[in-house]
Amino acid sequence: MSTDRPSAKQVAILLLVFGGTLAVVLTVGLLLREHGPGNMGNGLLQGAAFGLVLAAVMGWRLVRRPERVTTFERAWSQTGDERDDAVLTRALAVLGLASFPLTAVAAISIAFGASVEMCLALLLFAEIGVGALAFAVIDRRS
């Protein structure tokens, strides 16, 4: 059973967390731009901006059109029912199990001389893909 509307306290906490996250991301990103290797700061700022925009869109959809949100949005925002929570929990368990071999492959590739940056980027993309695929399969089957 989904909740209808967030309370004023929930909205205030959400805005506080969002603002705090934004401040930390900007601080770390700007420090990395100044002192980090290569364009690491730019990558962090772009990735974080993309993630924060997606989170804001998800929050807007939850408030404006709660009847049209997806299972993932309900589960991730903790506004869904037991089924939504179970799907997210099972998908995260699959991702956790898959992360060990994926990380081992990345470490072995780095040991054989592959580019560290490329291996870590591919590791991140592989983990995102495994998580998305696991969520879609588990959502479809249950």
Side-chain angles (χ1 to χ4, degrees), residues 27-128:
T27 303
V28 171
L30 292 175
L31 284 171
L32 280 175
R33 279 185 76 181
E34 187 67 28
H35 303 291
N39 61 356
M40 190 177 194
N42 292 339
L44 180 113
L45 290 171
Q46 290 171 358
F50 182 71
L52 289 173
V53 166
L54 285 180
V57 168
M58 185 173 63
W60 178 78
R61 283 175 42 92
L62 282 164
V63 172
R64 294 291 179 205
R65 298 172 189 251
E67 70 281 353
R68 297 190 67 195
V69 297
T70 63
T71 303
F72 177 77
E73 290 170 323
R74 285 191 307 267
W76 196 257
S77 65
Q78 298 179 352
T79 58
D81 56 10
E82 295 84 14
R83 181 199 172 274
D84 298 330
D85 293 339
V87 169
L88 181 62
T89 300
R90 290 176 62 198
L92 290 175
V94 170
L95 175 59
L97 288 173
S99 67
F100 293 114
L102 289 172
T103 305
V105 168
I108 292 168
S109 299
I110 291 169
F112 281 136
S115 168
V116 175
E117 296 86 3
M118 185 56 68
C119 286
L120 291 179
L122 290 174
L123 173 63
L124 178 63
F125 295 143
E127 288 176 344
I128 291 170

